[in-house]
Amino acid sequence: MTEAVESAETSPDPSVDELFDKVYSSPAANASTWLPSEPEPKPDPGAESESTAKKASPASAESASTVDKLRISPLARKLAHDNDNDIDIDIDLDSVTGSGPNGRIIRVDVDAAIAAAAEVIPLSKIRKVTAKRLTQSQDIPHFFLTNGVEVDRLMVLRREVNEGLATQGVKVSLNDFIVKAVAFTLRQHPEANVSFNGDSLLRHPRINVGIAVVTDAGLLVPVVTDADRKSLSEIGAEVVALASAARGSKLTLDQMSGGTFSVSNLGMFGIDEFTAMLNAPEAGILAVGAASPELKLLGGELVEVQKMKITLTVDHRGSPCDGWCDSGRLPA
């Protein structure tokens, strides 16, 4: 039906346009167009001039009203004022130039007016920086490594650790364990704690793990410095403080500088698996998904295990992963 109407709207044939107007005009107009009219009484010659003078103005107004009504198709008018399709835009039809026959406003004209009414939202400084750095990240040759890890024992360990820390009013999350595990792995494999530097690599003596935090202002990555030297409770307390400062726009430059590796965890939002973009100049970032139950064949029986998908994004220019894979000693 919509295609038929659109075809009628854009047709240059005056007869088609006239028929369209008759169909969608008011009931009174329809009646006067399609039904035979009664014979009009002959006018009184003596009152002809007076009658003409009295009726001239209303006739002109009616003609102008009809012309004004016919300059927009019913479909275009409905689209312009329809808020049922999440289009909460009030289109000023008087400012729309029609492209249909005789300057008629048709659907394409209203669509163009709606597109032109898009709201322009200036980027915050944080979003500008984020956009610039992520665009630069796309130019870095990189690759992804995805694996599924069972976390049943990790979840039991977390519960036991939190029970031991209950008297201190401290709780650690699965993400805190992941940050600690990443820092430990980088300490064991310092060749991965690097960044590309043109014709050389920078091997960093400190292990500083960035934590991706989503805020209303944009994506921020505060840094847990010397994460390999801190306890789980210290990492947990610091991550909570950094995330709170990030969401309150109170992070300092020092708290966002010096990262050598990053962790992005969307598991708490129910995301099963994703790939994260490099936070240049860091050579790697670990994307962490949600832990979910899966069936596993163990000893000839199906058992339920909690499994988590993790994906490592690596800068290929300075990555030791090609050597790890060739030697068969990729870290677990």
Side-chain angles (χ1 to χ4, degrees):
M1 176 64 180
T2 302
E3 295 179 356
V5 173
E6 285 300 305
S7 174
E9 288 187 8
T10 56
S11 172
D13 187 352
S15 61
V16 174
D17 193 63
E18 181 182 357
L19 178 60
F20 183 89
D21 293 338
K22 290 178 179 179
V23 172
Y24 285 94
S25 58
S26 63
N30 284 336
S32 63
T33 303
W34 298 99
L35 299 179
S37 57
E38 298 180 0
E40 298 182 0
K42 295 182 179 181
D44 184 356
E48 181 177 355
S49 59
E50 180 179 356
S51 175
T52 302
K54 290 182 179 180
K55 294 182 179 180
S57 179
S60 299
E62 182 180 356
S63 176
S65 174
T66 302
V67 171
D68 181 67
K69 181 177 181 180
L70 294 181
R71 58 186 294 269
I72 177 170
S73 72
L75 179 61
R77 184 184 299 277
K78 180 178 184 299
L79 180 62
H81 298 290
D82 192 358
N83 293 325
D84 295 336
N85 296 322
D86 296 329
I87 304 176
D88 192 13
I89 301 175
D90 187 14
I91 301 299
D92 182 8
L93 296 177
D94 292 332
S95 64
V96 177
T97 301
S99 62
N102 301 320
R104 181 189 186 87
I105 299 174
I106 57 178
R107 178 176 181 174
V108 293
D109 304 320
V110 176
D111 285 340
I114 292 175
E119 181 182 2
V120 178
I121 304 175
L123 292 178
S124 64
K125 291 183 179 180
I126 293 175
R127 291 190 184 276
K128 286 181 181 179
V129 172
T130 301
K132 180 179 179 180
R133 297 190 66 179
L134 291 181
T135 300
Q136 293 172 343
S137 176
Q138 288 290 80
D139 295 332
I140 298 174
H142 57 276
F143 61 93
F144 308 104
L145 298 172
T146 301
N147 198 4
V149 293
E150 294 181 17
V151 293
D152 295 85
R153 293 174 59 189
L154 177 59
M155 297 177 76
V156 172
L157 178 60
R158 179 205 174 199
R159 184 172 63 251
E160 293 174 350
V161 170
N162 281 332
E163 289 174 356
L165 294 174
T167 57
Q168 304 177 32
V170 178
K171 291 185 67 175
V172 294
S173 66
L174 286 178
N175 196 59
D176 299 330
F177 278 91
I178 292 169
V179 171
K180 181 64 177 177
V182 165
F184 176 80
T185 302
L186 291 175
R187 176 58 63 194
Q188 296 296 111
H189 300 274
E191 66 273 18
N193 195 42
V194 298
S195 57
F196 183 74
N197 187 41
D199 57 357
S200 63
L201 293 177
L202 297 179
R203 180 174 292 183
H204 305 289
R206 302 177 67 184
I207 297 174
N208 303 328
V209 181
I211 310 297
V213 179
V214 178
T215 71
D216 292 338
L219 180 65
L220 298 176
V221 187
V223 177
V224 179
T225 57
D226 299 317
D228 58 316
R229 301 179 183 178
K230 292 178 178 175
S231 66
L232 270 172
S233 59
E234 289 175 324
I235 290 175
E238 188 168 344
V239 168
V240 169
L242 289 172
S244 178
R247 296 188 178 99
S249 302
K250 297 179 181 179
L251 283 176
T252 65
L253 183 60
D254 287 342
Q255 291 175 316
M256 298 180 62
S257 304
T260 61
F261 194 94
S262 290
V263 172
S264 180
N265 190 340
L266 294 180
M268 65 280 290
F269 300 110
I271 303 301
D272 294 324
E273 179 184 355
F274 69 104
T275 57
M277 300 180 68
L278 287 170
N279 184 26
E282 298 170 14
I285 182 171
L286 185 68
V288 183
S292 56
E294 290 188 12
L295 292 179
K296 175 184 178 180
L297 187 61
L298 183 64
E301 296 183 358
L302 286 176
V303 295
E304 183 181 284
V305 297
Q306 293 292 323
K307 210 161 188 179
M308 175 188 290
K309 288 287 184 67
I310 56 176
T311 299
L312 179 64
T313 305
V314 185
D315 183 346
H316 213 324
R317 301 170 302 177
S319 166
C321 288
D322 46 4
W324 288 343
C325 294
D326 289 342
S327 63
R329 60 184 184 91
L330 187 65

